[in-house]
């Protein structure tokens, strides 16, 4: 399909143009809305479905190319499994079994397309579960996040695991049936990448620790600990032996020399935006709901862990364990909570525009 007609080097450009179209289309629903219309008027329900289908086919049938990071390595692994070679034992169980099943039946392009399905559909379902009225702009926020494209084409195991977790967290509220679905989805997320144990644990903490002051204090204390004892904390965590890859990522003696290490102020400032937004909404505007408490708390607790190991060579991989919720903790309160004083729709459009421009800047830099 797309892999035979679109060269790999054009994919990022087409993706950014497509995001621009989605963002501008959302403006037609949001621009002149007051707070009531922003929260309660249903936006275009067709947009997320059409956008999701396009991304599924466009990214799912992308060509095998080194331009998509680890995709070529995954394809080599797939061909080896199809030829009967042993599967690397450190590969996460659910991902390993899924690849094994596909490799003995279909060409690799169908496997990559199915992985894309598992990546996009949970995002789509999560946007509807978070808000039937604002599913469209929430989904656009998700797919235009700076990390969405990379985890759709490169870190596909982490991407699928994160996407399933985002859907899982929407089931935390409600009765026991919802709790069972949450648990099953968390198990599936962990089965694709066991690093998901961190956001899963963070979500449980956010559900039970309801005092909003505690999560902000906790995040602040973690910054102080990181500034004073960051490398010591990294060494302690890597020495626990929970995960071999975790220890490898934290090891200061085992990294590519081109990696930027040290206290990442740029990453910290990026992470601070949802925290600052949450502080303003909760303490200045006095708006606080259980759903927002779970979303923001999960983000803050997971991000606080990364803050403590911020000097690690591969700390961006741990940052993603909180950043996977970044578009949600920005979009959800902006669209669903009554904290705008005036010009709610115009302000929402401004935030969407900044969100998109930031993603473009990241693409241009990389």
């Amino acid at each position: 399909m797309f892999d035979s007609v679109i060269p790999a080097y054009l994919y990022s450009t087409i993706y950014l143009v497509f995001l621009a179209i989605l963002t501008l289309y959302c403006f037609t629903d949001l621009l002149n809305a007051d707070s009531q219309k922003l929260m309660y008027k249903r936006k275009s329900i067709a947009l997320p479905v059409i956008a999701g289908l396009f991304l599924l086919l466009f990214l799912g049938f992308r060509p095998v190319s080194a331009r998509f990071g680890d995709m070529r390595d995954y394809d080599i692994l797939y061909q080896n499994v199809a030829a009967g070679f042993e599967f690397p034992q450190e590969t996460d169980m659910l991902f390993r079994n899924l690849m094994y099943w596909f490799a003995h039946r279909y060409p690799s392009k169908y496997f990559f397309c199915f992985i894309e399905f598992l990546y996009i559909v949970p995002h789509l379902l999560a946007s509807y579960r978070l808000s039937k009225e604002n599913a469209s702009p929430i989904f656009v926020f998700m797919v235009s996040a700076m990390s969405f494209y990379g985890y759709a084409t490169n870190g596909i195991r982490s991407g699928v695991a994160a996407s399933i977790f985002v859907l899982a967290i929407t089931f935390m509220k409600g009765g026991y049936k919802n709790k069972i679905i949450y648990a099953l989805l968390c198990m599936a997320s962990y089965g694709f990448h066991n690093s998901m144990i961190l956001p899963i644990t963070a979500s449980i903490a956010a559900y039970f620790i309801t005092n909003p002051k505690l999560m902000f204090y906790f995040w602040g204390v973690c910054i102080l600990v990181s500034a004073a004892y960051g490398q010591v904390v990294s060494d302690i965590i890597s020495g626990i032996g929970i995960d071999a890859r975790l220890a490898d990522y934290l090891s200061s003696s085992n990294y590519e020399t081109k990696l930027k290490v040290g206290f990442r102020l740029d990453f910290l400032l990026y992470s601070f935006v949802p925290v600052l937004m949450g502080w303003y909404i909760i303490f200045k505007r006095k708006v606080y709901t259980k759903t927002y408490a779970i979303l923001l708390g999960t983000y803050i607790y997971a991000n606080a862990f990364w803050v403590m190991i911020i000097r690690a060579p591969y700390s961006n991989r741990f940052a993603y364990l909180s950043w996977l919720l970044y578009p949600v903790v920005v979009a959800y309160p902006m669209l669903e909570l009554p904290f705008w004083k005036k010009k709610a729709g115009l302000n929402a459009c401004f935030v969407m525009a900044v969100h998109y421009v930031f993603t473009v800047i990241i693409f241009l830099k990389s």
Side-chain angles (χ1 to χ4, degrees), residues 51-310:
L53 181 60
F54 172 80
L55 289 171
L56 170 61
L57 298 176
F58 175 63
L59 297 176
F61 286 106
R62 66 193 181 278
V64 176
S65 170
R67 283 184 173 270
F68 301 119
D70 292 339
M71 185 183 180
R72 188 180 293 279
D73 293 333
Y74 279 120
D75 187 68
I76 292 172
L77 177 61
Y78 190 93
Q79 305 307 331
N80 288 339
V81 172
F85 288 92
E86 288 291 327
F87 216 112
Q89 290 302 308
E90 70 273 10
T91 306
D92 301 280
M93 180 186 67
L94 198 53
F95 180 85
R96 179 174 70 241
N97 290 336
L98 184 64
M99 180 182 281
Y100 182 89
W101 189 88
F102 266 87
H104 287 83
R105 290 168 176 82
Y106 304 107
S108 62
K109 65 179 180 179
Y110 296 110
F111 170 74
F112 287 119
C113 187
F114 186 72
I115 288 293
E116 208 64 44
F117 174 85
L118 294 178
Y119 182 61
I120 291 173
V121 170
H123 278 104
L124 184 62
L125 295 176
S127 67
Y128 275 100
R129 286 193 53 79
L130 287 169
S131 172
K132 292 181 174 62
E133 291 74 25
N134 286 298
S136 292
I138 289 176
F139 183 71
V140 172
F141 258 89
M142 290 177 174
V143 300
S144 58
M146 71 164 185
S147 56
F148 182 89
Y149 182 83
Y151 283 92
T153 59
N154 178 15
I156 57 176
R157 275 186 299 159
S158 299
V160 170
S163 179
I164 294 173
F165 172 74
V166 171
L167 177 59
I169 204 173
T170 67
F171 285 93
M172 290 199 78
K173 285 179 57 182
Y176 73 92
K177 291 183 179 179
N178 275 17
K179 300 296 192 297
I180 292 173
I181 295 174
Y182 162 79
L184 292 174
L185 288 172
C186 284
M187 290 171 61
S189 175
Y190 180 82
F192 269 95
H193 206 285
N194 56 28
S195 64
M196 286 298 115
I197 191 64
L198 174 61
I200 291 170
T201 303
S203 69
I204 296 172
Y207 183 84
F208 288 104
I209 303 175
T210 58
N211 186 341
K213 289 184 180 180
L214 291 179
M215 58 187 178
F216 289 102
Y217 287 146
F218 182 70
W219 194 77
V221 169
C222 286
I223 293 178
L224 298 178
V225 171
S226 177
Y229 306 106
Q231 190 56 56
V232 174
V233 173
S234 295
D235 292 341
I236 291 173
I237 294 174
S238 63
I240 294 176
I242 298 175
D243 188 295
R245 283 178 299 187
L246 172 65
D248 190 45
Y249 294 156
L250 293 176
S251 174
S252 60
S253 62
N254 187 17
Y255 61 88
E256 301 172 36
T257 55
K258 66 180 180 180
L259 288 174
K260 183 180 178 181
V261 296
F263 194 89
R264 296 301 304 268
L265 182 61
D266 51 347
F267 283 5
L268 187 62
L269 290 175
Y270 176 74
S271 297
F272 181 57
V273 172
V275 180
L276 178 62
M277 186 176 179
W279 174 84
Y280 175 78
I281 292 171
I282 295 171
F283 297 110
K284 290 296 183 180
R285 301 295 296 149
K286 308 298 182 182
V287 179
Y288 194 53
T289 66
K290 182 64 174 179
T291 297
Y292 186 48
I294 293 172
L295 295 173
L296 183 62
T298 303
Y299 172 83
I300 287 180
Y301 292 135
N303 191 259
F305 175 84
W306 162 73
V307 165
M308 289 192 294
I309 59 169
I310 197 171

